[in-house]
Short mmCIF file of all heavy atoms in Angstrom, two decimals:
data_model
loop_
_atom_site.label_atom_id
_atom_site.label_comp_id
_atom_site.label_asym_id
_atom_site.label_seq_id
_atom_site.Cartn_x
_atom_site.Cartn_y
_atom_site.Cartn_z
N PHE Z 1 0.84 -1.21 -0.02
CA PHE Z 1 0.00 -0.01 -0.01
C PHE Z 1 0.88 1.23 0.02
O PHE Z 1 2.09 1.18 0.33
CB PHE Z 1 -0.95 0.02 1.19
CG PHE Z 1 -0.24 0.06 2.52
CD1 PHE Z 1 0.11 1.28 3.13
CD2 PHE Z 1 0.15 -1.10 3.17
CE1 PHE Z 1 0.76 1.34 4.35
CE2 PHE Z 1 0.81 -1.06 4.41
CZ PHE Z 1 1.12 0.13 4.99
N LYS Z 2 0.24 2.36 -0.35
CA LYS Z 2 0.97 3.64 -0.31
C LYS Z 2 0.23 4.52 0.71
O LYS Z 2 -0.90 4.29 1.06
CB LYS Z 2 0.91 4.34 -1.70
CG LYS Z 2 1.63 3.66 -2.78
CD LYS Z 2 1.46 4.39 -4.07
CE LYS Z 2 2.22 3.72 -5.20
NZ LYS Z 2 2.14 4.49 -6.48
N LEU Z 3 0.96 5.52 1.17
CA LEU Z 3 0.34 6.48 2.07
C LEU Z 3 -0.23 7.66 1.24
O LEU Z 3 0.45 8.11 0.34
CB LEU Z 3 1.36 7.03 3.10
CG LEU Z 3 1.97 5.97 4.01
CD1 LEU Z 3 2.97 6.59 4.91
CD2 LEU Z 3 0.88 5.31 4.85
N GLY Z 4 -1.41 8.04 1.55
CA GLY Z 4 -2.05 9.14 0.83
C GLY Z 4 -1.39 10.46 1.09
O GLY Z 4 -0.88 10.75 2.17
N ARG Z 5 -1.40 11.32 0.11
CA ARG Z 5 -0.81 12.67 0.23
C ARG Z 5 -1.52 13.49 1.29
O ARG Z 5 -0.93 14.32 1.93
CB ARG Z 5 -0.83 13.36 -1.11
CG ARG Z 5 0.15 14.43 -1.25
CD ARG Z 5 0.27 14.89 -2.66
NE ARG Z 5 0.90 16.18 -2.67
CZ ARG Z 5 2.21 16.33 -2.55
NH1 ARG Z 5 2.99 15.32 -2.45
NH2 ARG Z 5 2.74 17.55 -2.57
N GLY Z 6 -2.81 13.26 1.46
CA GLY Z 6 -3.56 14.01 2.43
C GLY Z 6 -3.36 13.57 3.85
O GLY Z 6 -3.85 14.13 4.78
N GLY Z 7 -2.60 12.48 4.01
CA GLY Z 7 -2.29 12.03 5.38
C GLY Z 7 -3.07 10.79 5.76
O GLY Z 7 -4.27 10.83 5.91
N ASP Z 8 -2.41 9.72 5.94
CA ASP Z 8 -3.00 8.46 6.45
C ASP Z 8 -2.34 8.18 7.79
O ASP Z 8 -1.36 8.78 8.13
CB ASP Z 8 -2.69 7.28 5.48
CG ASP Z 8 -3.46 7.36 4.19
OD1 ASP Z 8 -4.62 7.85 4.23
OD2 ASP Z 8 -2.94 6.93 3.18
N ALA Z 9 -2.87 7.22 8.49
CA ALA Z 9 -2.27 6.76 9.74
C ALA Z 9 -1.58 5.44 9.47
O ALA Z 9 -1.95 4.69 8.58
CB ALA Z 9 -3.31 6.63 10.82
N VAL Z 10 -0.59 5.15 10.29
CA VAL Z 10 0.11 3.86 10.25
C VAL Z 10 0.01 3.23 11.61
O VAL Z 10 0.27 3.85 12.62
CB VAL Z 10 1.60 4.06 9.88
CG1 VAL Z 10 2.33 2.74 9.89
CG2 VAL Z 10 1.73 4.68 8.48
N TYR Z 11 -0.37 1.93 11.64
CA TYR Z 11 -0.47 1.18 12.89
C TYR Z 11 0.38 -0.02 12.81
O TYR Z 11 0.47 -0.69 11.75
CB TYR Z 11 -1.92 0.71 13.13
CG TYR Z 11 -2.91 1.84 13.26
CD1 TYR Z 11 -3.50 2.43 12.15
CD2 TYR Z 11 -3.29 2.26 14.53
CE1 TYR Z 11 -4.42 3.46 12.26
CE2 TYR Z 11 -4.22 3.26 14.65
CZ TYR Z 11 -4.76 3.88 13.52
OH TYR Z 11 -5.68 4.87 13.68
N LEU Z 12 1.08 -0.34 13.87
CA LEU Z 12 1.80 -1.62 13.94
C LEU Z 12 1.10 -2.47 14.99
O LEU Z 12 0.86 -1.98 16.11
CB LEU Z 12 3.26 -1.37 14.34
CG LEU Z 12 4.16 -0.62 13.36
CD1 LEU Z 12 5.54 -0.40 13.93
CD2 LEU Z 12 4.19 -1.35 12.03
N PHE Z 13 0.74 -3.66 14.64
CA PHE Z 13 0.04 -4.56 15.55
C PHE Z 13 0.92 -5.74 15.95
O PHE Z 13 1.75 -6.18 15.16
CB PHE Z 13 -1.22 -5.15 14.85
CG PHE Z 13 -2.28 -4.10 14.54
CD1 PHE Z 13 -2.33 -3.49 13.31
CD2 PHE Z 13 -3.21 -3.78 15.52
CE1 PHE Z 13 -3.31 -2.57 13.01
CE2 PHE Z 13 -4.20 -2.85 15.20
CZ PHE Z 13 -4.23 -2.20 13.94
N ARG Z 14 0.70 -6.18 17.14
CA ARG Z 14 1.33 -7.48 17.57
C ARG Z 14 0.60 -8.59 16.82
O ARG Z 14 -0.55 -8.38 16.39
CB ARG Z 14 1.14 -7.63 19.06
CG ARG Z 14 1.92 -6.62 19.87
CD ARG Z 14 1.66 -6.87 21.34
NE ARG Z 14 2.33 -5.83 22.10
CZ ARG Z 14 2.25 -5.71 23.38
NH1 ARG Z 14 1.56 -6.57 24.10
NH2 ARG Z 14 2.86 -4.73 23.99
N PRO Z 15 1.25 -9.73 16.70
CA PRO Z 15 0.57 -10.79 15.94
C PRO Z 15 -0.52 -11.51 16.76
O PRO Z 15 -1.16 -12.44 16.28
CB PRO Z 15 1.74 -11.77 15.65
CG PRO Z 15 2.72 -11.53 16.69
CD PRO Z 15 2.58 -10.06 17.05
N ASP Z 16 -0.81 -11.03 17.96
CA ASP Z 16 -1.83 -11.65 18.81
C ASP Z 16 -3.23 -11.54 18.18
O ASP Z 16 -3.50 -10.75 17.34
CB ASP Z 16 -1.88 -10.97 20.18
CG ASP Z 16 -0.52 -10.85 20.81
OD1 ASP Z 16 0.37 -11.62 20.50
OD2 ASP Z 16 -0.32 -9.91 21.66
N ARG Z 17 -4.09 -12.36 18.71
CA ARG Z 17 -5.52 -12.25 18.39
C ARG Z 17 -6.25 -12.09 19.73
O ARG Z 17 -5.96 -12.88 20.64
CB ARG Z 17 -6.00 -13.50 17.70
CG ARG Z 17 -5.55 -13.61 16.28
CD ARG Z 17 -6.67 -13.21 15.39
NE ARG Z 17 -6.28 -13.38 14.00
CZ ARG Z 17 -6.80 -12.65 13.08
NH1 ARG Z 17 -7.70 -11.76 13.37
NH2 ARG Z 17 -6.45 -12.81 11.85
N PRO Z 18 -7.11 -11.17 19.96
CA PRO Z 18 -7.43 -10.13 19.04
C PRO Z 18 -6.20 -9.19 18.83
O PRO Z 18 -5.31 -9.15 19.62
CB PRO Z 18 -8.60 -9.38 19.72
CG PRO Z 18 -8.39 -9.65 21.17
CD PRO Z 18 -7.76 -11.01 21.26
N LEU Z 19 -6.29 -8.41 17.78
CA LEU Z 19 -5.21 -7.50 17.42
C LEU Z 19 -4.98 -6.49 18.55
O LEU Z 19 -5.92 -5.91 19.09
CB LEU Z 19 -5.49 -6.77 16.13
CG LEU Z 19 -5.53 -7.64 14.88
CD1 LEU Z 19 -5.89 -6.84 13.67
CD2 LEU Z 19 -4.22 -8.37 14.65
N VAL Z 20 -3.70 -6.25 18.89
CA VAL Z 20 -3.31 -5.29 19.90
C VAL Z 20 -2.37 -4.31 19.24
O VAL Z 20 -1.35 -4.69 18.63
CB VAL Z 20 -2.56 -5.98 21.06
CG1 VAL Z 20 -2.09 -4.93 22.06
CG2 VAL Z 20 -3.50 -6.96 21.74
N ILE Z 21 -2.68 -3.03 19.34
CA ILE Z 21 -1.84 -1.98 18.72
C ILE Z 21 -0.54 -1.87 19.49
O ILE Z 21 -0.55 -1.64 20.69
CB ILE Z 21 -2.57 -0.59 18.68
CG1 ILE Z 21 -3.78 -0.66 17.79
CG2 ILE Z 21 -1.60 0.48 18.20
CD1 ILE Z 21 -4.61 0.60 17.80
N GLU Z 22 0.58 -2.05 18.78
CA GLU Z 22 1.91 -1.89 19.38
C GLU Z 22 2.39 -0.45 19.25
O GLU Z 22 2.98 0.10 20.17
CB GLU Z 22 2.93 -2.81 18.66
CG GLU Z 22 4.31 -2.76 19.15
CD GLU Z 22 4.49 -3.27 20.56
OE1 GLU Z 22 3.68 -4.13 21.00
OE2 GLU Z 22 5.43 -2.82 21.24
N SER Z 23 2.11 0.16 18.13
CA SER Z 23 2.54 1.54 17.88
C SER Z 23 1.61 2.15 16.87
O SER Z 23 1.07 1.45 16.02
CB SER Z 23 3.95 1.54 17.37
OG SER Z 23 4.42 2.87 17.17
N GLN Z 24 1.42 3.48 16.95
CA GLN Z 24 0.50 4.16 16.09
C GLN Z 24 1.03 5.54 15.79
O GLN Z 24 1.51 6.26 16.64
CB GLN Z 24 -0.88 4.20 16.80
CG GLN Z 24 -1.83 5.19 16.23
CD GLN Z 24 -3.10 5.25 17.04
OE1 GLN Z 24 -3.33 4.45 17.95
NE2 GLN Z 24 -3.95 6.18 16.73
N SER Z 25 0.90 5.93 14.54
CA SER Z 25 1.31 7.29 14.13
C SER Z 25 0.16 8.24 14.39
O SER Z 25 -1.00 7.78 14.64
CB SER Z 25 1.62 7.31 12.63
OG SER Z 25 0.43 7.17 11.87
N PRO Z 26 0.38 9.52 14.34
CA PRO Z 26 -0.73 10.48 14.40
C PRO Z 26 -1.68 10.18 13.26
O PRO Z 26 -1.30 9.76 12.16
CB PRO Z 26 -0.07 11.83 14.24
CG PRO Z 26 1.35 11.63 14.65
CD PRO Z 26 1.68 10.22 14.24
N ASP Z 27 -2.96 10.48 13.47
CA ASP Z 27 -3.97 10.23 12.45
C ASP Z 27 -4.69 11.56 12.18
O ASP Z 27 -5.35 12.04 13.00
CB ASP Z 27 -4.93 9.16 12.88
CG ASP Z 27 -5.93 8.80 11.83
OD1 ASP Z 27 -5.81 9.24 10.69
OD2 ASP Z 27 -6.86 8.03 12.14
N PRO Z 28 -4.49 12.14 11.01
CA PRO Z 28 -3.66 11.67 9.88
C PRO Z 28 -2.21 12.10 10.06
O PRO Z 28 -1.88 12.98 10.82
CB PRO Z 28 -4.29 12.40 8.69
CG PRO Z 28 -4.76 13.68 9.28
CD PRO Z 28 -5.22 13.38 10.66
#
């Protein structure tokens, strides 16, 4: 995927289920 010019967010998840956010960028 690409990041949109208008600003997207990026999330890194642990491989656990349910998904747990490990790190998150500002949104957008």
